[in-house]
Amino acid sequence: MATKHYLFPTDYMADPAVHVFNGKIYIYPSHDWDAGECEDDDGGHFQMKDYHVLTLADPDQGLAEDCGVIFDVEDVPWAEKQLWDSDVVEKNGKYYNIFSGKGYDGVFRLGVAVADKPEGPFIPQPYPIRGSFSIDPCVLKDDDGSIYTYFGGLWGGQLQWWQPLAPGFTPVIGKHGDENGLTDMGSAPTKQDELFAHPDTPALPSLVVKMSDDVLQFAEAPRPVVIVGDDGQPLKASDPHRFFEASWVFKRDGKYYFTYSTGDSHLICYAVGDNPYGPFKYEGVILTPVVGWTTHHSIVAYQGKWYLFHHDSVPSGAKTWLRSLKVCELKWDANGKIKTIEGLD
């Protein structure tokens, strides 16, 4: 059984993106607060309005320290509200925070904020990344210095607005509750109806894109991140292990590990590939369901160990919009598989 502990008991933080910069652990979370909004499938109760950065000296037992606000939604000219997940990457001594926010038109896009040091402050660019959409960016700096952003999330993350189903599969449009054995994909672009997929439809994938040299724009069109099963075929929309949101990618022993949340089945899963674009073969469950609807994480190596950072809603009494950061050691078995961690332990 993995021993977990909370990292920041004085406030509600979630969606941790964790990196080691200059030999020190930095945590870039979203910042929960109780906005008094009603719960809905589009995440209207998640009204995060600023970002902090935390530092951590001892992931085995220590508490995180708050370096303060690195920027606020009022600092982002194009974003109205809902600063959701973000991630940070370093290049040539600069630090780039790629974040998701909702514009005044109700559409989620990705933006970039730049700093001279990992603890910020970060200065947001005046416009979102051209051609960006959806949520939950994760940034991978590969061994050759190339930088890739993985992103996307269903339902409130609006990925279903921008990505068509596989050829030959037509989405079914209807009112919420009329599933009739279909798989709910979230609201339609009209916001008046729901989109549904037949159970055997290939799941909507997340996306990956190489960044420009200045890390401010996409250098290419985003590509689908395909997760395949043992049969070599993409996971289906009805598969409880299919992608929903919360991409996180890391490398180990020359392999690329694509890890993600399954959303409504409340798992953190992983798949492995040979290059940053995939395809990635599904390998197993990292974390079983926790208290709270969402599950979101990052994985990092530090001083010879691997750690899983995530969140749950135990301290808030199961209020899913008030989450708390946790950490535990991540271990591999003799066959090189990640050992599953029980979320409720």
Side-chain angles (χ1 to χ4, degrees), residues 21-342:
F21 294 131
N22 305 319
K24 189 175 184 179
I25 293 177
Y26 289 86
I27 306 170
Y28 300 90
S30 56
H31 185 196
D32 286 352
W33 67 293
D34 196 338
E37 298 286 340
C38 294
E39 290 187 65
D40 61 55
D41 287 343
D42 288 332
H45 45 303
F46 297 108
Q47 290 289 332
M48 296 85 98
K49 56 186 178 180
D50 63 22
Y51 292 115
H52 289 234
V53 58
L54 312 178
T55 60
L56 180 64
D58 183 1
D60 288 314
Q61 57 185 7
L63 295 179
E65 295 184 9
D66 189 3
C67 298
V69 176
I70 55 175
F71 66 94
D72 186 282
V73 68
E74 294 183 358
D75 301 321
V76 186
W78 59 269
E80 178 187 16
K81 57 185 179 181
Q82 290 179 288
L83 295 182
W84 285 9
D85 182 43
S86 71
D87 196 10
V88 173
V89 67
E90 180 274 336
K91 183 175 182 179
N92 296 332
K94 294 281 189 179
Y95 295 84
Y96 299 85
N97 183 304
I98 299 180
F99 64 96
S100 48
K102 185 174 282 188
Y104 289 90
D105 57 358
V107 175
F108 272 110
R109 293 182 176 87
L110 305 182
V112 184
V114 187
D116 293 323
K117 51 187 179 179
E119 57 269 32
F122 286 78
I123 307 302
Q125 298 294 296
Y127 301 101
I129 296 173
R130 290 188 298 271
S132 68
F133 53 90
S134 200
I135 61 167
D136 287 0
C138 159
V139 189
L140 172 72
K141 184 178 182 180
D142 211 347
D143 298 336
D144 64 357
S146 297
I147 293 173
Y148 301 88
T149 295
Y150 299 77
F151 67 95
L154 289 168
W155 293 14
Q158 304 174 351
L159 181 62
Q160 72 278 4
W161 294 6
W162 305 94
Q163 291 294 100
L165 293 177
F169 293 90
T170 302
V172 178
I173 300 176
K175 297 295 184 183
H176 185 73
D178 293 340
E179 295 92 332
N180 295 322
L182 303 175
T183 298
D184 191 350
M185 297 168 57
S187 65
T190 62
K191 305 180 185 178
Q192 303 299 313
D193 296 290
E194 293 281 305
L195 288 177
F196 298 94
H198 291 282
D200 59 347
T201 305
L204 278 184
S206 65
L207 297 157
V208 58
V209 60
K210 191 173 184 178
M211 299 300 292
S212 58
D213 288 340
D214 61 7
V215 203
L216 299 181
Q217 299 293 339
F218 294 165
E220 60 186 3
R223 308 186 195 185
V225 179
V226 179
I227 303 171
V228 300
D230 290 336
D231 59 1
Q233 297 301 308
L235 298 187
K236 306 301 185 186
S238 57
D239 192 314
H241 307 111
R242 59 85 175 92
F243 170 82
F244 186 94
E245 62 185 1
S247 303
W248 183 262
V249 181
F250 65 93
K251 285 186 76 173
R252 180 177 184 265
D253 295 338
K255 296 289 187 180
Y256 295 81
Y257 285 71
F258 178 75
T259 71
Y260 57 96
S261 169
T262 63
D264 52 347
S265 54
H266 313 294
L267 303 170
I268 296 294
C269 294
Y270 77 105
V272 179
D274 294 321
N275 69 77
Y277 294 111
F280 296 88
K281 182 181 177 298
Y282 175 78
E283 293 291 346
V285 174
I286 297 173
L287 182 69
T288 62
V290 301
V291 173
W293 198 94
T294 70
T295 185
H296 199 126
H297 69 297
S298 59
I299 294 170
V300 66
Y302 181 68
Q303 295 186 349
K305 295 182 179 180
W306 287 87
Y307 293 93
L308 171 71
F309 291 78
H310 65 103
H311 66 237
D312 70 22
S313 298
V314 171
S316 68
K319 293 180 180 177
T320 197
W321 62 94
L322 296 176
R323 299 160 293 181
S324 295
L325 298 176
K326 301 181 82 171
V327 65
C328 64
E329 188 176 352
L330 186 76
K331 296 183 178 182
W332 274 259
D333 66 19
N335 297 315
K337 301 275 191 178
I338 295 175
K339 291 186 177 180
T340 300
I341 297 169
E342 296 299 324

